[in-house]
Amino acid sequence: PTYRIRHAQRLFYTNEIPEGESLALRPAHIQEFDFLYESTALMRVEDEQYDPRKRDAELWSKTIKALLAQQRILIGEQDNKPCFIIEIGTRCSIGAQVGSTYVVPGFRGQGLSVKGMRGLINCLLPSCSTISLLAHEENIPAIACYRRTGLHEATPFRLIEFIGQ
């Protein structure tokens, strides 16, 4: 089949509690659906250059509702307003794969991404041995955040998109 490389990515991981100030995280609530429907879609627009609402709004709505029901979206707040959002992809005692990290635009530039990542690690490591995530190589702010958080860099990956036979 014909294909193209869509994104070069880097694996980051940790099995250590980070030092420094962290942001307390909590599971998102169904009452926050409208905010999360919008915010999580905007994250994908910024990070992956596609809007899942335009591809299939009903499927996106079902996806967010399923993540909420499974408590796989965590939120950090500042001044009683959501400022940091992250999704848990998979999770078991061996490890957790996380992604879709998003700092709400009005809160950017305040170091909340690092504090939020520390909060995530503090939240998940007691119940699993390793936390990992993938970052697009072009996403310099995300990579800088993960390095400042203390995550270790590992193997590069490429996402391949099949475009025909």
Side-chain angles (χ1 to χ4, degrees):
T2 306
Y3 66 91
R4 67 178 173 177
I5 297 172
R6 283 192 54 214
H7 302 287
Q9 296 188 330
R10 171 119 359 228
L11 176 68
F12 286 85
Y13 71 94
T14 189
N15 53 14
E16 303 163 351
I17 297 290
E19 293 184 20
E21 186 180 351
S22 66
L23 185 64
L25 301 182
R26 63 164 176 80
H29 306 293
I30 191 66
Q31 295 85 349
E32 297 167 303
F33 171 80
D34 292 338
F35 168 74
L36 292 167
Y37 177 84
E38 182 77 13
S39 296
T40 54
L42 291 174
M43 185 286 308
R44 281 168 176 78
V45 169
E46 288 179 10
D47 193 43
E48 301 173 25
Q49 293 76 50
Y50 83 93
D51 188 335
R53 300 166 299 180
K54 290 182 180 175
R55 284 192 180 174
D56 189 334
E58 184 178 337
L59 177 61
W60 188 244
S61 177
K62 288 179 181 177
T63 299
I64 298 305
K65 287 177 181 173
L67 291 170
L68 285 166
Q70 297 165 12
Q71 296 189 329
R72 289 176 42 201
I73 299 177
L74 301 179
I75 292 180
E77 295 178 320
Q78 183 169 290
D79 301 325
N80 295 318
K81 295 179 184 172
C83 63
F84 178 86
I85 304 165
I86 192 161
E87 295 173 22
I88 302 169
T90 60
R91 183 178 179 183
C92 67
S93 62
I94 297 170
Q97 174 83 24
V98 298
S100 303
T101 307
Y102 188 70
V103 176
V104 177
F107 293 95
R108 293 180 181 175
Q110 301 176 35
L112 292 171
S113 61
V114 173
K115 291 176 186 174
M117 289 305 299
R118 287 180 187 146
L120 171 81
I121 295 165
N122 290 334
C123 183
L124 295 181
L125 267 187
S127 62
C128 64
S129 60
T130 303
I131 296 169
S132 64
L133 60 87
L134 292 169
H136 296 295
E137 294 278 3
E138 317 80 52
N139 193 341
I140 304 303
I143 289 172
C145 164
Y146 304 143
R147 287 176 177 158
R148 284 193 308 270
T149 302
L151 281 93
H152 306 285
E153 294 181 50
T155 309
F157 286 85
R158 291 194 176 113
L159 289 182
I160 297 174
E161 178 179 38
F162 291 98
I163 52 178
Q165 295 271 10

